[in-house]
Amino acid sequence: MEKNKYKKLISNTFVFTIGSVGSKLITFFLVPLHTNVLTKGEYGLADLVNSISNVIVPFLGLVIQDAILRFALSKSSNKGSVIKVAFILFLPGMLLCFCLIPIFDLYPPVSGWGFYIAALSFSSMLYNISFTYAKAKEKNILYSVASILSTLIIASTNILLLVCFNEGVRGYLVANILGLFIPSMVVILATHSLKDAFLAPFDKRLMKEMVLYSLPLIANNLSWWILSSSDKVMIEYFLSTGDLGLYTAASKVPALLTVITTIFASAWTISSIKEYDEGKDKVFFSNVFKYYSLLLFLASLVIIFILKPFMQIYVGADFYDSWRLVPFLIIGAVFYSFGSFFGAIFGALKKNSVCTITTIIAGFINIVVNLVLIPRIGLIAASLSTGISYIAIGVIRMFFSRRYFRFDIDFLRFGINSLVLILCTLFVFLDILNIYIYLLSSLGLLFLILFNFQDLLGLFRFIKIFLMRKKESNETN
């Protein structure tokens, strides 16, 4: 039983990796295409349309996908009734998003792009509901196959519309819309979502519980948008869409890190809910966080070490200067990952209001730093504010979680690892010592490996045992 929970977490992570790695990495690998085909201004405009869509989706969709996962995984809930409630709540949001097109067009930077904002929002809400229901029904292979389909559609339509037909921003947005909508319809058909919803009884009490569960998450998602995208609006306002294009290119690099985080989070959310409901094993939570944080620190230092030469081949020549924005975004990605880890625990505890409060605090920090510093020091302020805000959310959630559920965390080791990451980031950002930057970064990476050597050995031993047992199980079957 003890090994099964780890096996389930690793198995889920592996399955989600197969499907998600492509869809998450496609954003990363399409950057060379986008930065060579689109101008800085066009790239900035496309990202601004995405950012506006991201801020309205939580309001229109009520973040109901999180309630789907939480309640459908509960043994006392009827999955059909859960998806029925989700579709009922989806319909008014769908209608409203297209009714808002004239309002979107009133904002000068995206005037004329209102339809694309609405279509992107509609497709995102449908994608969230359909794919989350697939996870709730534990159709993990379907989830992975549909995610791969999404990746293929986005990649092929980007190449077709941007390179062959020279559609520019319009092609970029259409590719994203199709990449969300088509796989969503496939998943809805494959999971029999509509049939489940039609046959299941309507549960008024369940609807009330799901809405009450999701409502705090609207503010939480809004605060996440403030953390990740409000700086883009302020860059466009105080600086230019060209500067926004540079920042957008820089923000794609931490995708190397957040790919790992997002894939793991898909499995961790399920494991944390089930483990909390069934056993509340503190050793399980402690071990997962120890190894997860160690891998994040190591991966981030590797990215920082190769950053400058990598950016020379990764982005178009006009976008190379964006490398200076990346180091603080890397720190932000690491602590965002810690925030997500503890956010899943709060979800299992049904304490979403705590997530909301901590995200609002970090969002407030982000806005203040951006408003004060962007007009004074320019683009780097947006990168700095993101790093500071995500550090705040990761640390605050870590300590808040201990009020409700305490498990062992080596705070001294965590603090030293964080300090090494921050120092290496500063050395690269300042770019004063030229070749010695690589020496200092490699020393930081070496120190991290030696300092955490026993934990690394423990992780490798566990993976080895898991793989051996999986092999023995397959041979037995």
Side-chain angles (χ1 to χ4, degrees):
M1 185 68 180
E2 176 67 22
K3 296 295 181 182
N4 285 342
K5 64 187 71 173
Y6 293 101
K7 182 178 180 180
K8 188 69 173 177
L9 176 59
I10 294 176
S11 298
N12 282 343
T13 302
F14 178 73
V15 172
F16 289 133
T17 297
I18 294 173
S20 297
V21 71
S23 60
K24 303 303 178 184
L25 284 178
I26 193 64
T27 302
F28 178 79
F29 285 118
L30 283 175
V31 170
L33 170 66
H34 294 154
T35 56
N36 281 283
V37 173
L38 301 174
T39 66
K40 288 185 287 187
E42 288 174 331
Y43 198 33
L45 172 60
D47 195 61
L48 189 60
V49 170
N50 272 321
S51 296
I52 294 171
S53 171
N54 289 339
V55 74
I56 66 172
V57 164
F59 291 98
L60 299 176
L62 300 178
V63 201
I64 202 64
Q65 68 272 11
D66 283 15
I68 292 173
L69 191 62
R70 183 62 185 93
F71 286 87
L73 286 175
S74 175
K75 292 179 180 179
S76 61
S77 294
N78 181 321
K79 287 183 172 62
S81 295
V82 170
I83 193 63
K84 190 186 196 86
V85 169
F87 280 135
I88 290 172
L89 296 173
F90 166 73
L91 290 175
M94 175 190 70
L95 295 173
L96 185 58
C97 87
F98 286 100
C99 292
L100 289 173
I101 290 176
I103 306 297
F104 300 145
D105 286 333
L106 292 177
Y107 182 43
V110 294
S111 180
W113 297 95
F115 172 78
Y116 294 92
I117 295 173
L120 196 57
S121 303
F122 161 74
S123 300
S124 295
M125 289 188 291
L126 192 64
Y127 184 95
N128 290 339
I129 290 174
S130 59
F131 274 67
T132 304
Y133 189 58
K135 283 201 291 185
K137 292 188 76 172
E138 299 193 48
K139 301 286 187 181
N140 294 341
I141 294 176
L142 170 63
Y143 180 96
S144 297
V145 171
S147 297
I148 292 170
L149 175 62
S150 176
T151 300
L152 294 174
I153 292 171
I154 291 173
S156 59
T157 50
N158 261 280
I159 294 170
L160 183 68
L161 296 175
L162 293 181
V163 178
C164 299
F165 292 99
N166 196 28
E167 284 293 320
V169 175
R170 184 177 291 102
Y172 176 101
L173 296 174
V174 168
N176 285 339
I177 292 167
L178 293 177
L180 293 170
F181 179 74
I182 295 175
S184 299
M185 296 305 298
V186 171
V187 171
I188 287 172
L189 292 172
T191 56
H192 308 291
S193 300
L194 295 176
K195 181 181 178 182
D196 290 352
F198 181 76
L199 295 177
F202 172 68
D203 189 332
K204 187 176 180 180
R205 181 180 176 184
L206 176 64
M207 173 181 274
K208 181 179 178 181
E209 289 178 351
M210 287 177 66
V211 170
L212 288 176
Y213 180 90
S214 294
L215 282 178
L217 294 174
I218 296 176
N220 183 57
N221 275 253
L222 176 60
S223 299
W224 276 120
W225 179 86
I226 291 171
L227 283 169
S228 62
S229 299
S230 66
D231 43 12
K232 296 175 182 179
V233 175
M234 284 187 263
I235 288 169
E236 191 281 328
Y237 179 78
F238 287 116
L239 303 174
S240 68
T241 52
D243 288 308
L244 176 55
L246 284 176
Y247 186 77
T248 301
S251 66
K252 303 302 182 185
V253 178
L256 280 171
L257 207 55
T258 53
V259 160
I260 301 170
T261 302
T262 306
I263 293 169
F264 173 80
S266 296
W268 173 240
T269 300
I270 295 174
S271 290
S272 60
I273 290 172
K274 288 190 171 182
E275 178 54 31
Y276 185 80
D277 283 348
E278 295 172 5
K280 301 182 180 67
D281 184 350
K282 295 181 180 181
V283 175
F284 172 68
F285 284 88
S286 180
N287 285 338
V288 172
F289 179 73
K290 176 172 64 177
Y291 295 134
Y292 178 61
S293 60
L294 178 56
L295 289 174
L296 282 170
F297 283 125
L298 289 171
S300 60
L301 280 179
V302 169
I303 295 172
I304 288 171
F305 178 69
I306 65 171
L307 178 60
K308 286 188 70 177
F310 172 75
M311 291 297 280
Q312 288 181 323
I313 60 174
Y314 178 56
V315 297
D318 291 342
F319 290 79
Y320 175 68
D321 288 342
S322 64
W323 77 264
R324 280 193 175 276
L325 308 174
V326 175
F328 294 118
L329 295 176
I330 292 290
I331 291 180
V334 171
F335 281 86
Y336 160 83
S337 304
F338 296 144
S340 297
F341 179 92
F342 290 101
I345 294 176
F346 288 126
L349 292 165
K350 295 186 178 179
K351 297 288 184 181
N352 289 327
S353 58
V354 178
C355 286
T356 301
I357 292 169
T358 55
T359 312
I360 288 173
I361 292 170
F364 177 76
I365 294 171
N366 183 274
I367 289 177
V368 171
V369 174
N370 277 323
L371 286 174
V372 172
L373 293 184
I374 287 179
R376 290 169 173 78
I377 63 175
L379 204 51
I380 194 62
S383 175
L384 183 62
S385 70
T386 297
I388 293 172
S389 301
Y390 282 132
I391 288 174
I393 203 167
V395 172
I396 293 172
R397 283 190 179 182
M398 182 186 298
F399 285 99
F400 255 70
S401 69
R402 303 184 72 75
R403 295 179 58 184
Y404 304 99
F405 183 62
R406 299 176 73 90
F407 59 91
D408 290 336
I409 297 175
D410 190 337
F411 288 105
L412 177 61
R413 186 174 297 275
F414 180 84
I416 292 173
N417 289 341
S418 299
L419 181 62
V420 171
L421 171 62
I422 292 170
L423 288 175
C424 289
T425 298
L426 287 173
F427 284 134
V428 172
F429 169 72
L430 294 173
D431 196 30
I432 296 172
L433 302 175
N434 296 321
I435 192 64
Y436 296 108
I437 288 175
Y438 300 105
L439 176 62
L440 291 168
S441 297
S442 59
L443 286 174
L445 183 59
L446 180 62
F447 172 81
L448 207 66
I449 292 172
L450 294 175
F451 183 63
N452 298 278
F453 191 67
Q454 290 301 318
D455 286 343
L456 279 172
L457 286 180
L459 176 60
F460 291 142
R461 276 196 298 266
F462 175 77
I463 293 174
K464 181 180 177 181
I465 292 171
F466 171 78
L467 292 174
M468 288 175 62
R469 291 187 176 182
K470 191 173 181 65
K471 182 180 179 182
E472 291 171 1
S473 176
N474 290 337
E475 289 174 352
T476 303
N477 295 332

